[in-house]
Structure formats: C-alpha cells, structure tokens
Amino acid sequence: MSGRLALGCAVLVASFTACDRAPGGTYTTGNESARGGTVVIATGVDITGVNQLTGGGSRFEQDILDQLFLSLFQEQPDYAEHPPTFEPELAQDYTWSEDGKTLRLLLRPGIEWSDGVPITAADVVWTYTAQVNPEVAWEEAQSKDAIERVVAFDDHTVEFRFSEVYSSRLSDLNEGVILPKHAWSKLPFSEWRGNETWFLDNLVVSGPFMLARLQPQQQIVLERNENHFRQGYPKLDRLVFRVIPNRTNQVEHLLAGQVDFVEHVLPKRAADVERSGRTDLISKWHRQYTYIGWNGCQGLFEDASIRKAMTLAIDRESIVKALWGESARPAVSPILTSVWAFNPDLVPWPYDPDAARRLLAKAGWGDDDGDGYLDKDGRKFSFELATNGDNQIRADVAVLVQEQLRKIGVEARVSLLEFNSLWARHQSHGVDAIISAWGIDTSLNLTYAFHTDSIEDGKNYGCYSNAQVDELIALARRPARPEDAAPPLHRIQEILHEEQPYTFLWEPMRHYGVSKKVKNAQPNPLSAYFNLDEWWLAPVSS
C-alpha cells in the first residue's frame, strides 16, 4: 500500500462503525440518492494482494479488485435469457472486422489513474503482455490462447487479433482487469511472484474506490476515488470490509447493527434477517452447483454404469430438502437450470436403489462372503468420500450419502479434510470421490472439467474422457454467435447425464442480508457488489 494512500486512515478506521457518518462529510438524511457515509460489510475471507495476476483468485478477492481496477467491459447478469451481454467500461466503443477475427476498440478519453497519469492503449497492450507471460503464470492465462496479438494504434485505439472465430471471444478478451503500466512495469515479470508487498507499495487504481487500509485478517478499507470517470460516483465515502469468519456471527453483527451487509446468510438464519425491522433479505439463485465427483483414474469409478448406480442410490431430493429447505433445488447438469443453454429435456435420475443394485450386479458386484457389502474378485466395494471439514453442509451430506450407499452394500469412508490438503490430493487425482462445488463460467466452456485434455492440464481431476464430448465442446465454441452453441451444449448435457462423471447434487440460492439504511444494493449471481458505486445511505425509516 502506498504511503500516500495510508496517510491518515489509521485513525479513521479505528473510530468508524456501521452507524458512523464521515466527519465533515456530505451524508444527507433525505429520501433521495445521497452522497457520503460509510458502509460496513462482513466477509468470511481476506485478500492475498492487489495484483490479480499473482493473487489467490478467490471470488471475494476478485470483487475487491473490481472496485480498484477497471475492465474493458462489464459483464451483465442477463445469462438466464440469452448469452451474457457486455457493457463498455474502460472501452467506449468497438467494431469487429468482416472476418470476425479482429476487434478494434476505442477507449474512453480523459480517464486517469488515481495518480493523475492518463489511462491509454499502452496500458491495455502491456496488461495482455503480463497476462500471457510464463514467468507471471496467471491462472487464467488460457483465456488468451486464441489472441494472436494486441496492438495500440494511438493513445485510445487498440486492436485485438484472434487466431479463429469462436463464440466467447469478447468474454476471453475481457478476462482480467487493466493494470497500470507506468507504475508496475518497473518490476520485471520474473520478480512478480512472491512480491505482493511491492504491488501494495506501488498501487495506483482506476476503479471507483482506492485502497485506504489493509489489515490482514481484520479489515479492508476502501475510499472513494475522486478520479473515477463516472461523475458523482461512487456515492459512498468509504467501505469497510470486516473479516468475520463465522457466518452465524456475521448475521448476529448484522442484526445488531454492527455491519450493514452480509453476502452469505445461511438458510437457517434467512427468516431472522427477513423478520428483523432493521434489515432486508435479498435472495437470488446462485451461479454454482455442488456435486460428487467420481474418480475414474483409479478403476472403481471408470465404468459409467457404476457411477450411474451411485447416483440412483442417493436420494438427492430428500437431502436437499433436509439441509436447504426451499433454499436449493436438485442439480442435473453443469449448466444450471437458470442459464439460457440448459437442456430442458433432462429429467433428474430418480432415487431408485433397486435399479442401482441391478446395475452393480450386472457389473459383477455381489455379496459373495455374506458380510453385507458387495465384493468382486476378492475386492470389497469400499471407497473414500472426502470433503472439506470446515463446510458443515458438505460434511452432513457425506454422512447422509454414506448411510444411503450402505443400504446397497457399498462402503463410503468419510474423510473430512482441511481444504488446501483436500484440494492438493484432488488435483493429483488422489481422492476416490469428492463433495465439492463449481461456480459456473458464463461462457459455458465445459473444457475445465469434462475435456480429456484437462485431465493433465486443467481441472478434470476425475479423469473423465469421452471423445464425442471433446468434439462437442470444440463445436460449441466454434459459432461466431454464442446462441448458436445451444445444440452441441444440449447434446453434451445429455451425454454427461447418461454417464454421470459427477452426481449433481444441488443448485443453491444465495441470501444476502442488508441494512435498511443501505439503498440501491443490487447483488446478483455475478457479484454481490455488482453496483457498489451506486449504493447510498439513508436513515432507517421509523
């Protein structure tokens, strides 16, 4: 963090609470959109730094960085009706060439970094250079694979050349925020990794807020960037993200008026927030699905009929109702039911343990030694079912699945592991079965977990491989118009439904708790803080 940015904030942060107003600020008490004041937000996690290309990559960290840095476009939360659209942000306008491979983009004029240096096309070109540099090793660098070159023609005109025409070019181009060349090019790419403090010390921003203070595991304080291009925005003077790891405690702080916004209210506390006179509850279907991933690398779950038997033996509907009530619905596909490309012809597999037994018997599994468990060639049907122990719902699901599989003679040995340890084993294909979740990519590129190439170079940790799925994934990316990808995406879902590399468990609803004095908060599945620069404060009505 720069000395200039930190100056004076230590006193301010120590003295502010959710109910404070900025000393000498412009916070008004009318019912119209007001400017000024501080909003306190509860968060369960912290950020690892301010450089997106070397940071931890969590959703929350990205949310913070989106407040500090502009992207070329802002993706809109409209993927339920059609492929997502993009509104210009740092970009002002763009045109495609006739062959669809070149995008010429015009930047907004007169936009500056927080230190007054103009933002130009040179920043865009240099950011791309950093994103694809192997020494930087950005986790999302593959999103730039089809970009052949990026060229600046003048300070405000930049051109992207793609090697091919495909449906998610704009999404791939827009992946990643634009970074400050004049400030961060002073450190060679080879020294970026392991130097997070350097980026804090040399931080300049372009977004609506500036980083005023970072206290690890305590709080992150953002203040209005007066150089932000939107005149009159952000409305708030200051945001305090207070680290409160326990979600139950976050709700208690909200109900007590000690914080103003909670991003993730547990379903069992949603009614408390809704009934409170000082808070509102906002509920949205989340951009996520939870699943059991079967490891086909080690033999037991290589056979699709065995995976399908596991799904038939698990009563997913009763599990969802018991743990989530009306706050989740059974999942059936990696493309959520709320997404435009979901295949409406898919019918969830029923809970049918007899059908599961028949499939297992056909595959040669029987209780030859009479111990109540299936065996084959002297091997007991027994496997490890692992999940992260800090997630109580997943831990509860593991126990329920264990009980249900026991009824068909299958032993699931539940392992509750520390998240990083679990993930390290999973990445090396070392877990028999895992309960986990994915946030979906709205470009609907299913390569990450379902393409053969992703077994060794991706997130296909269960070693799922189907040549037809590989071909269909490529076919779904090929159309120039994203909506033309619907037929191959529908067919992929049919195959995955039949072969069950995952048992899809549920799609959750996300509950947000917000103080009544915070106005115009519009969280959505893309981000809880999508329109944070438009939030404003008003007094609680009596």
Side-chain angles (χ1 to χ4, degrees):
M1 181 168 57
S2 71
R4 183 174 70 84
L5 290 173
L7 184 64
C9 64
V11 176
L12 291 175
V13 170
S15 63
F16 267 63
T17 71
C19 300
D20 288 326
R21 298 175 183 179
T26 57
Y27 175 23
T28 65
T29 57
N31 291 324
E32 297 180 355
S33 172
R35 199 159 189 251
T38 297
V39 163
V40 181
I41 296 170
T43 175
V45 296
D46 206 346
I47 63 173
T48 60
V50 295
N51 187 344
Q52 182 188 50
L53 305 190
T54 58
S58 72
R59 180 64 255 175
F60 174 70
E61 185 164 310
Q62 185 56 53
D63 284 336
I64 293 295
L65 296 182
D66 283 342
Q67 304 307 318
L68 302 180
F69 297 99
L70 296 175
S71 296
L72 293 173
F73 300 90
Q74 185 186 45
E75 183 178 343
Q76 302 301 297
D78 54 3
Y79 57 78
E81 299 84 16
H82 46 66
T85 59
F86 294 82
E87 291 293 328
E89 191 170 61
L90 180 56
Q92 183 181 52
D93 198 4
Y94 66 93
T95 55
W96 285 101
S97 63
E98 287 189 6
D99 67 0
K101 292 184 178 180
T102 301
L103 180 80
R104 179 162 287 203
L105 188 150
L106 185 65
L107 302 183
R108 292 180 188 275
I111 302 184
E112 298 178 344
W113 294 100
S114 53
D115 60 358
V117 173
I119 300 174
T120 70
D123 292 305
V124 178
V125 175
W126 180 78
T127 295
Y128 166 76
T129 304
Q131 289 169 336
V132 299
N133 188 286
E135 293 181 302
V136 173
W138 182 36
E139 282 191 353
E140 302 300 328
Q142 79 283 350
S143 64
K144 311 298 178 184
D145 283 351
I147 297 177
E148 288 183 330
R149 62 179 181 272
V150 183
V151 178
F153 286 89
D154 55 42
D155 282 350
H156 299 100
T157 308
V158 61
E159 194 172 272
F160 290 77
R161 178 69 179 176
F162 290 82
S163 60
E164 58 181 325
V165 175
Y166 62 100
S167 57
S168 58
R169 286 162 297 163
L170 201 57
S171 175
D172 286 348
L173 174 151
N174 196 50
E175 186 70 35
V177 297
I178 301 302
L179 303 176
K181 178 184 178 183
H182 71 287
W184 286 6
S185 64
K186 297 171 184 173
L187 187 69
F189 291 146
S190 59
E191 298 178 24
W192 277 30
R193 288 279 164 186
N195 261 323
E196 275 304 324
T197 303
W198 187 91
F199 296 104
L200 280 168
D201 291 340
N202 293 273
L203 180 61
V204 294
V205 303
S206 56
F209 291 95
M210 304 169 66
L211 180 63
R213 188 172 181 82
L214 177 60
Q215 292 177 290
Q217 300 305 315
Q218 295 184 49
Q219 59 184 1
I220 304 157
V221 181
L222 306 184
E223 291 182 343
R224 180 191 296 127
N225 176 11
E226 299 293 353
N227 271 4
H228 185 49
F229 75 92
R230 289 190 71 192
Q231 190 172 8
Y233 294 90
K235 295 290 186 181
L236 298 170
D237 288 335
R238 189 174 296 101
L239 295 161
V240 178
F241 292 86
R242 187 168 296 160
V243 180
I244 304 174
N246 185 286
R247 287 176 179 162
T248 298
N249 291 342
Q250 291 179 12
V251 173
E252 296 301 331
H253 280 71
L254 176 69
L255 296 176
Q258 296 167 336
V259 304
D260 300 312
F261 186 82
V262 171
E263 178 182 347
H264 191 175
V265 176
L266 293 173
K268 62 185 179 183
R269 300 305 306 274
D272 297 332
V273 174
E274 193 167 31
R275 286 195 296 262
S276 168
R278 67 167 69 224
T279 58
D280 289 321
L281 184 74
I282 300 173
S283 300
K284 303 278 187 181
W285 287 109
H286 197 41
R287 188 167 52 97
Q288 184 185 76
Y289 65 87
T290 298
Y291 63 90
I292 301 175
W294 307 107
N295 187 350
C297 311
Q298 300 180 4
L300 189 58
F301 297 116
E302 188 177 3
D303 183 344
S305 71
I306 301 298
R307 300 192 299 264
K308 186 175 175 180
M310 297 299 102
T311 297
L312 290 166
I314 298 171
D315 188 354
R316 291 167 294 142
E317 187 165 348
S318 69
I319 288 174
V320 171
K321 283 185 178 177
L323 297 178
W324 287 89
E326 299 300 319
S327 294
R329 56 192 176 196
V332 67
S333 161
I335 297 179
L336 304 180
T337 52
S338 57
V339 173
W340 68 274
F342 172 72
N343 185 339
D345 295 329
L346 294 182
V347 177
W349 291 112
Y351 173 51
D352 190 344
D354 289 336
R357 290 188 188 94
R358 289 194 293 272
L359 284 173
L360 292 170
K362 188 175 181 181
W365 291 92
D367 185 9
D368 294 335
D369 57 9
D371 67 350
Y373 289 101
L374 301 178
D375 50 80
K376 178 182 178 182
D377 300 329
R379 178 185 179 183
K380 181 180 179 181
F381 200 129
S382 176
F383 69 93
E384 178 189 31
L385 177 60
T387 193
N388 48 310
D390 61 344
N391 188 314
Q392 189 58 51
I393 288 182
R394 292 180 193 173
D396 291 344
V397 169
V399 173
L400 292 171
V401 169
Q402 181 185 49
E403 293 172 354
Q404 293 176 358
L405 293 182
R406 173 69 185 86
K407 295 176 181 176
I408 63 166
V410 171
E411 181 185 58
R413 306 186 310 276
V414 173
S415 293
L416 304 180
L417 305 174
E418 187 273 329
F419 181 83
N420 291 329
S421 300
L422 169 67
W423 209 244
R425 284 185 55 200
H426 189 40
Q427 288 176 312
S428 61
H429 314 291
V431 178
D432 294 337
I434 186 172
I435 300 174
S436 190
W438 289 119
I440 70 156
D441 172 2
T442 56
S443 72
L444 304 184
N445 182 355
L446 298 175
T447 300
Y448 67 103
F450 303 105
H451 195 288
T452 303
D453 290 348
S454 297
I455 294 174
E456 296 302 325
D457 187 21
K459 299 179 174 65
N460 187 354
Y461 305 130
C463 300
Y464 175 70
S465 181
N466 180 310
Q468 188 181 3
V469 170
D470 294 347
E471 185 178 336
L472 287 164
I473 287 175
L475 193 60
R477 282 176 55 79
R478 203 167 296 157
R481 299 187 330 139
E483 53 268 41
D484 292 338
L489 289 174
H490 283 191
R491 180 59 186 142
I492 292 171
Q493 292 173 79
E494 290 169 355
I495 296 172
L496 297 181
H497 185 60
E498 184 61 33
E499 298 195 334
Q500 294 288 293
Y502 290 176
T503 293
F504 297 96
L505 293 175
W506 65 77
E507 301 173 1
M509 182 175 281
R510 179 61 61 89
H511 299 296
Y512 309 88
V514 55
S515 166
K516 287 183 180 296
K517 71 178 183 179
V518 177
K519 301 300 181 184
N520 202 32
Q522 299 177 27
N524 65 50
L526 290 181
S527 171
Y529 312 106
F530 182 79
N531 72 326
L532 192 52
D533 60 335
E534 297 175 346
W535 293 16
W536 55 281
L537 280 172
V540 178
S541 58
S542 57

